[in-house]
Amino acid sequence: MNGNGPNKMVDPLEDPLPGLGTYEDFNTIDWVREKSKDRDRHREITNKSKESTVALLHSVSDAFSGWLLMLLVGLMAGGGAYIHDMHEIRLFFFFPPNVTLLSFSLQGAFAYIVNYLMYIVWALLFALLAVALVRAFAPYACGSGIPEIKTILSGFIIRGYLGKWTLIIKTITLVLAVSSGLSLGKEGPLVHVACCCANILCHLFTKYRKNEAKRREVLSAAAAVGVSVAFGAPIGGVLFSLEEVSYYFPLKTLWRSFFAALVAAFTLHSINPFGNSRLVLFYVEFHAPWHLVELVPFILLGIFGGLWGALFIRANIAWCRRRKSTRLGHYPVMEVLVVTALTAVLAYPNSYTRMSGAELIAELFNDCSLLDSSQLCGYKPPTNTSKTGVGNSLADRPAGEGLYTALWQLALALVFKMMITVITFGMKVPSGLFIPSMAVGAIAGRLLGVGMEQLAYYNHDSFIFKGWCSPGADCITPGLYAMVGAASCLGGVTRMTVSLVVIMFELTGGLEYIVPLMAATMTSKWVADALGREGIYEAHIRLNGYPFLEPKEEFGHSSLTVDVMRPRRSDPALAVLTQEGMTVGEVEALVESTRYSGFPVVVSQESQRLVGFVLRRDLLISIDNARKRQEGVVSASQVVFTEHAPAQADDGPPPLRLRGIVDLSPFTVTDHTPMDITVDIFRKLGLRQCLVTHNGRLLGIITKKDILKHMAQIANRDPDSILFN
Amino acid sequence: MNGNGPNKMVDPLEDPLPGLGTYEDFNTIDWVREKSKDRDRHREITNKSKESTVALLHSVSDAFSGWLLMLLVGLMAGGGAYIHDMHEIRLFFFFPPNVTLLSFSLQGAFAYIVNYLMYIVWALLFALLAVALVRAFAPYACGSGIPEIKTILSGFIIRGYLGKWTLIIKTITLVLAVSSGLSLGKEGPLVHVACCCANILCHLFTKYRKNEAKRREVLSAAAAVGVSVAFGAPIGGVLFSLEEVSYYFPLKTLWRSFFAALVAAFTLHSINPFGNSRLVLFYVEFHAPWHLVELVPFILLGIFGGLWGALFIRANIAWCRRRKSTRLGHYPVMEVLVVTALTAVLAYPNSYTRMSGAELIAELFNDCSLLDSSQLCGYKPPTNTSKTGVGNSLADRPAGEGLYTALWQLALALVFKMMITVITFGMKVPSGLFIPSMAVGAIAGRLLGVGMEQLAYYNHDSFIFKGWCSPGADCITPGLYAMVGAASCLGGVTRMTVSLVVIMFELTGGLEYIVPLMAATMTSKWVADALGREGIYEAHIRLNGYPFLEPKEEFGHSSLTVDVMRPRRSDPALAVLTQEGMTVGEVEALVESTRYSGFPVVVSQESQRLVGFVLRRDLLISIDNARKRQEGVVSASQVVFTEHAPAQADDGPPPLRLRGIVDLSPFTVTDHTPMDITVDIFRKLGLRQCLVTHNGRLLGIITKKDILKHMAQIANRDPDSILFN
């Protein structure tokens, strides 16, 4: 980027000064510069490889280091997920066995109360430990981490967010948080954990340690790995990374993500944590096909999922905003304890809320057969009133008392989960949203499914069911409804579509149910989008004021670049450096009197013809270094950005030549460029800033932050909510 | 793009003149301009939608037209594929029944010879009909079509390539070509057929008819649909489109492709062409897991696939080049007939070459059980010498006479297929490469698989097999080897990875075999890439001189933009227009004396400060129109590109104002920009040309063709092989 063509001898990218070309915390990287740096490095290695065998070996190992890194990420994340699962299971041993309210006797009641209290105490202990560890050691370990990872992948820097402390503390506290019975899942945080693994492993390879763009390629793959181990769905994981998380996802990353996701799934599979030979989290196998008429309830589930998703996002964001702006935010530990206590008190009496979210979903997804002893399968035995169908053990049956009890409990669980998740997500403990959302949808789906089943059983002669649902046939599968409902609600909250369907497809392993899933998730997305454009992760990104330029949303306004750039018409002129004629003192004064992160270099103040762009950080480091190391550099020394130093007076101090730090290929657009094109350029090239010209003269500058502020203004939001550059 | 901000009253994009903003045949589109045009259209509809209910309905229907189009494409392609399959089956009825050489008697010999001759005559008839139809009605219907579709999707225009005649003729002749027994498949051409369907359906919607960029989004989805119906693999199809064919693949297209691919698969599934309830082309179900040791033969298959892929590409390209450069190319009908006759004569005696490629692959993929009567399963019955394993009907058994015969025939078939495919692909009939490549790999895999099986059977005590392959166990599945081999060879030829593995995964429906497939395809890609960077489609693109900027390959050279741009140092200066001061006659003279497709507009010849860029086509149309319609426009009229017309002499003719056709936001890079960045900009933004500046002055222009020529030069190829702009 710095014009280091073959004709230049001094290459400023060779790290002549430490810190040159690096970024400060909470800043946006320049993708083009980073990628160009990597290509320079690669070119150099390739050129050297012709010289000696050692260099050739270095070149080969460099080429394969990406794959090796992927292998390590896969192994580490796969192994980590296993340890994680084991811990969770161990911790669950502390819990008292299931004693339901039905076994009511005096002794039973006493035991029940003791267990109830024990449950609450354990829950509070786990939660306290979790929040204390997060507060003490790694504040970044809280939440799901996906909004921040999205922002980081789009080119933002948050130091320590993917560090070893975050990894360790998040792994431990996630187990504690899940064990405390809070309405949260571990799937989202597993993506964060996988990204931490990848980031730490990146330090083993210079190629990835030193280059922010290359590292982000690895992190994209790690996000895929996280979902791959969370659900046992490698293809779904890759598509999740592509659709939901990643910003820059070249084909090379696609291959590598897929490889890493497979390695991770295979590693986990080899250790076999789910206790069966399948590697998926919720393995389901349905026996009956679905009928076209059932698309109506499936689409209803999609509408429910979309509505719930949109409402959940609004409620959760409102609650989080309240936490930020009121005194509530000052007592995070207390908040966690109160919510945990509330959850425990309300959850224990109902067996469907007492069990973990994953268990609940697994039970709801299950198909009933006569042998199943679950309450959900409390049907009356076949009465044989119908003479046609005898002996089909899977046939639709009338609901019995057990099932009616289960339905009531499920309805209460639905209301409870819908409420409690809103205040749980965003607390200072690791908390994922996949499982709670899926649980809400699965409950709703199962309720509708059982309803449909009973409707079909009692009305099999009506025009709707006639022809495909004869008595004694197994025509409605409530488990499938639960699955469709789970997909709808997760889709409504996260706005995933393809990746969600593929994850679900990998869970069932059959193409037959893709159409219901597709119909429901699409409906869900449309309904939710109609009520609010943003998914939960984008909403949290905006809440935190991160500079994230959504790649999916089109810029719909008809403004021109001149309306968005700085300086505005009333502002003072743009601060520029001239390529010669300024002294070190003048440059320092200019830098100190402004807070811009970079300055354009022009031929002269009069012509305003653009030469290049120099970053504030690089300028300060270089001048500082020159003052320390180079002789004769004083405030009166000329700063020269041209290739050849001008003829100078003999008596003056020698000039300070800084062409090496000038980016001689800054991006420019004209003032007449419609903003939609400018936004497109920023998105596609991953720019940080762009200069604006008019008829060949430099007119102003436009940064990512300016664009985001402008977009906020158009959407009637506070432009000052964009906090970072 | 044309600076149509809110402050301008006359919008040049409203089609004031027919032809303005369109492209000529064999030219590259400007993605940015097309997308900007669509956003303008969308914005206008959205703004209008607030005014009346009709406009609101129009806006809603516009928003859903994309999905409707996808639905139609899915239905049409799914239905088309069905008709296609049926036809093929019907045509196969003409063929004589299988009479093998084994039933040798005098009468049998006579019948055999008659059948042999009949086979050859039928084959020649089919081939003649196919090539005659192609030559007579739709010359674009030949070949696989994928190289051209890749080029079209990257932004090239080939009128008629996706037209209705191509669709009709390709559908008919593809059936004929497959039926003629040539070594070709129908899967690649099905992608072309699906794209034709999509292109024709695009004409129903203004949004897609008028916008080249939007239409290409639909075509990307159609490519996914093609693979989806060809293999019954919707997810694999979407990934195929993403990995192999598409250029611009936003997330919206991902969702829509997936939807269309599902609709198509579901349509085909509902009509059920493969005669079973599965919708995949080769449904396989294996009973034995694979062992880690088996990765060695799988990787060997990967190496074989890579070697064959690279060699095939070289041989095929050499043959196609010979066809282009020698007299061979003048007799395409004769060539087809000779190759058909050769194929028929050599293929008939061997039952494995006589059957169609798809049948052969299905047979090779199959797992043997005791009941299977195929020659490939001609094992000796279990001898019960081992006392441990009794009654396992799937156990490894020693090869019998039938199997040995089959192996000989397969080996001969392998050599035959490897040779004949080289001269078949590229002839003037529709011909796909998927099935022949897979057949070669499947034969090689099956041979190796049977070899491994026998090795394991006779050496189950050796250290390699001990522990996992006890006597009487079913430890080696030759069908799996065939599948891995097929994936390797297809991967070697096309360089697909993820999509290939996913297609194979969808065929088996189990995650268990992903690791072997992944290992083999990765090895195959690495081996093939080491021998030649290009896949068969890229090689054919280059052979035809299409302007295709490969998105996967990194630009590795360290040249600067100034080295690649025109004019070169020795050339005459760049032809520019000044924003005022030129007359109509001068402009016309400039346009006629050059062949450039566009001209930069500058403030003045002295300052060379850039104002905008005007396309030759737009300029000619506008001047021509003005001369016809506008009064007082003569050769001496001033042409004015500024916003406000200059004060003019009273006696002169009125000026011709052409600011409306000037692109006021042309892309610029500086002369110091490294070429890798410039190439990246061209790729990511889909540019056609970019202006080059130095210190704010216009210096030159760089086009896609210049870049491709430069890249050809670096790779020591003929730069003049790039034929189009």
Side-chain angles (χ1 to χ4, degrees), chain A residues 1 3 5-7 32 35-36 39-40 43 64 67 232 234-235 239 242-243 248 251 254-255 258-259 262 266 279 290 292 497-498 501-502 505-506 509 511 514-515 518 522 525-526 552 554-558 560 579 603 609-611 643 659 664-668 670 672-674 676-677 680-681 684-685 695-697, chain B residues 1 3 5-7 32 35-36 39-40 43 64 67 232 234-235 239 242-243 248 251 254-255 258-259 262 266 279 290 292 497-498 501-502 505-506 509 511 514-515 518 522 525-526 552 554-558 560 579 603 609-611 643 659 664-668 670 672-674 676-677 680-681 684-685 695-697:
Chain A
M1 193 71 178
N7 54 338
V32 179
K35 278 189 279 172
S36 188
R39 277 189 292 252
D40 286 343
R43 200 176 294 137
F64 276 88
W67 291 100
I235 303 173
L239 288 174
L242 171 68
E243 184 181 356
Y248 171 65
L251 279 175
L254 180 74
W255 303 332
F258 193 56
F259 175 69
L262 267 181
F266 194 66
L279 51 71
W290 58 278
L292 220 59
T497 51
V498 181
V501 173
V502 172
F505 158 72
E506 284 185 275
L511 278 173
I514 279 197
V515 173
M518 189 84 198
M522 276 294 163
K525 189 185 155 65
W526 284 334
K552 289 171 210 166
E554 293 273 318
F555 182 86
H557 209 254
S558 63
L560 294 182
Q579 65 173 355
V603 171
R609 275 165 38 201
L610 182 68
V611 174
E643 205 163 344
R659 192 178 176 85
L664 290 170
S665 52
F667 284 91
T668 54
T670 65
H672 275 91
T673 311
D676 52 358
I677 292 180
D680 229 36
I681 296 173
K684 292 225 174 106
L685 300 177
N695 288 4
R697 281 174 196 274
Chain B
M1 195 72 178
N7 53 340
V32 179
K35 278 190 278 173
S36 187
R39 277 190 293 251
D40 287 342
R43 199 175 296 136
F64 276 87
W67 291 101
I235 303 172
L239 288 173
L242 171 67
E243 184 181 355
Y248 171 65
L251 279 175
L254 181 74
W255 304 330
F258 193 55
F259 173 70
L262 267 179
F266 194 66
L279 50 73
W290 58 278
L292 221 57
T497 52
V498 181
V501 173
V502 172
F505 157 73
E506 285 186 273
L511 278 172
I514 279 197
V515 174
M518 189 85 197
M522 277 294 164
K525 190 184 154 64
W526 284 333
K552 289 171 210 167
E554 293 273 315
F555 182 85
H557 209 256
S558 64
L560 294 181
Q579 64 174 354
V603 172
R609 276 166 39 203
L610 182 68
V611 174
E643 205 162 343
R659 191 176 176 87
L664 290 169
S665 52
F667 285 91
T668 55
T670 66
H672 275 89
T673 311
D676 52 357
I677 293 181
D680 230 35
I681 296 173
K684 292 225 173 105
L685 300 177
N695 288 3
R697 283 175 196 272

Side-chain angles (χ1 to χ4, degrees), chain A residues 676-691:
Chain A
D676 52 358
I677 292 180
T678 308
V679 171
D680 229 36
I681 296 173
F682 267 81
R683 267 184 202 144
K684 292 225 174 106
L685 300 177
L687 299 187
R688 203 186 168 291
Q689 73 274 318
C690 187
L691 298 167

Side-chain angles (χ1 to χ4, degrees), chain B residues 317-539:
Chain B
I317 291 296
W319 182 255
C320 288
R321 188 155 281 145
R322 167 176 293 264
R323 184 185 292 130
K324 274 194 143 181
S325 56
T326 64
R327 287 232 315 258
L328 185 64
H330 300 307
Y331 309 105
V333 179
M334 191 52 74
E335 185 196 357
V336 170
L337 290 181
V338 168
V339 173
T340 310
L342 190 69
T343 310
V345 169
L346 291 175
Y348 190 81
N350 187 337
S351 62
Y352 291 110
T353 48
R354 194 191 318 156
M355 64 175 74
S356 80
E359 283 173 328
L360 173 62
I361 294 169
E363 183 157 350
L364 291 170
F365 279 14
N366 247 329
D367 205 359
C368 276
S369 71
L370 273 180
L371 295 169
D372 209 324
S373 59
S374 155
Q375 220 185 1
L376 267 176
C377 299
Y379 292 96
K380 283 184 195 157
T383 46
N384 274 338
T385 47
S386 63
K387 276 134 208 164
T388 46
V390 193
N392 183 354
S393 65
L394 294 161
D396 287 355
R397 281 161 291 148
E401 211 163 307
L403 184 55
Y404 280 119
T405 316
L407 292 185
W408 266 113
Q409 291 189 352
L410 279 180
L412 288 174
L414 179 63
V415 175
F416 168 72
K417 286 260 173 197
M418 284 169 81
M419 299 287 185
I420 204 81
T421 309
V422 170
I423 56 170
T424 305
F425 187 72
M427 288 198 312
K428 295 286 172 208
V429 285
S431 56
L433 200 49
F434 280 34
I435 292 286
S437 311
M438 284 174 80
V440 166
I443 296 173
R446 187 82 189 199
L447 289 176
L448 185 65
V450 173
M452 278 295 288
E453 190 186 35
Q454 297 307 311
L455 199 70
Y457 180 80
Y458 289 113
N459 299 288
H460 48 70
D461 286 334
S462 82
F463 72 101
I464 303 171
F465 298 106
K466 207 163 187 171
W468 63 281
C469 198
S470 53
D474 176 29
C475 43
I476 306 267
T477 312
L480 175 61
Y481 283 71
M483 198 164 129
V484 170
S488 305
C489 280
L490 187 50
V493 171
T494 61
R495 310 293 158 85
M496 287 154 63
T497 52
V498 181
S499 47
L500 185 56
V501 173
V502 172
I503 288 173
M504 290 290 173
F505 157 73
E506 285 186 273
L507 298 188
T508 53
L511 278 172
E512 291 104 297
Y513 303 107
I514 279 197
V515 174
L517 286 169
M518 189 85 197
T521 47
M522 277 294 164
T523 314
S524 160
K525 190 184 154 64
W526 284 333
V527 170
D529 275 352
L531 295 173
R533 292 294 303 172
E534 295 171 319
I536 185 76
Y537 301 129
E538 287 87 53

